[in-house]
Amino acid sequence: MSPRCYRTQRYTIKKNNIKRTQHFFVFWSIFASMKILYTIVGTTSLILGIIGIFLPLLPTTPFLLLTAAMYFRSSPRLYYWLIQQKYLGSYIRNFREHKAIPLHAKIVSVSLIWITLSYCAIWILPYIWARILFLIIAISTTWHIVSYKTLKQ
């Protein structure tokens, strides 16, 4: 073989290694950006879940379950931190293990939904279609909450 062919062959090998390395870094950057995206979505749903504790129209448990799923995919440290929380972790553990909602949470949720939506429908909303919509929302969320099993303590 002439030295020229050897150099060309060596350059080709080097070029292929560079391409493989570039593909690896492209894959890694997509993977790393997905972890960041999962963390952002998980943190956003955690904030909405915490707000949902105080606002009756915002469900807490689905947002916390979404947070747990996103944290599980992004960072085990964040997932275990969430599971070990005194109040929020119990929501996730109860629902994940038993597919049930505690009786106290059901009573509080349904009561707050009906109090808030009744007040808005009677005193704030001037349109009959909006009042009917609020009634439908109250009935459907009540049915959804009551349809889950009651967790026996």
Side-chain angles (χ1 to χ4, degrees), residues 28-41:
W28 182 253
S29 65
I30 291 171
F31 182 68
S33 64
M34 289 304 292
K35 288 180 92 171
I36 292 169
L37 180 67
Y38 289 149
T39 304
I40 291 170
V41 171

Side-chain angles (χ1 to χ4, degrees), residues 14-142:
K14 200 175 211 181
K15 189 175 179 184
N16 286 340
N17 285 342
I18 290 172
K19 284 183 181 178
R20 287 182 188 153
T21 306
Q22 286 174 344
H23 291 300
F24 174 74
F25 284 122
V26 167
F27 172 75
W28 182 253
S29 65
I30 291 171
F31 182 68
S33 64
M34 289 304 292
K35 288 180 92 171
I36 292 169
L37 180 67
Y38 289 149
T39 304
I40 291 170
V41 171
T43 304
T44 304
S45 65
L46 176 64
I47 291 168
L48 290 173
I50 292 171
I51 292 171
I53 293 171
F54 304 104
L55 292 178
L57 290 179
L58 217 58
T60 301
T61 305
F63 283 121
L64 292 179
L65 292 174
L66 177 64
T67 301
M70 293 294 113
Y71 281 177
F72 185 78
R73 286 175 178 79
S74 68
S75 168
R77 185 175 56 93
L78 287 173
Y79 175 73
Y80 289 117
W81 170 82
L82 181 67
I83 294 297
Q84 297 303 322
Q85 291 296 311
K86 184 177 180 181
Y87 297 109
L88 301 179
S90 64
Y91 278 104
I92 297 166
R93 283 191 304 272
N94 288 338
F95 197 81
R96 191 179 64 188
E97 294 170 6
H98 307 291
K99 296 282 190 224
I101 301 172
L103 181 62
H104 180 264
K106 280 186 175 184
I107 292 170
V108 169
S109 299
V110 171
S111 300
L112 286 175
I113 286 170
W114 280 97
I115 290 169
T116 305
L117 291 179
S118 299
Y119 175 78
C120 290
I122 293 170
W123 300 105
I124 296 176
L125 295 175
Y127 304 111
I128 189 71
W129 62 268
R131 291 178 179 177
I132 293 171
L133 179 66
F134 270 35
L135 179 66
I136 292 171
I137 290 171
I139 291 171
S140 61
T141 54
T142 301

Side-chain angles (χ1 to χ4, degrees), residues 2-19:
S2 69
R4 181 179 178 139
C5 290
Y6 177 72
R7 287 187 191 136
T8 306
Q9 191 177 13
R10 189 173 172 195
Y11 178 72
T12 305
I13 292 170
K14 200 175 211 181
K15 189 175 179 184
N16 286 340
N17 285 342
I18 290 172
K19 284 183 181 178

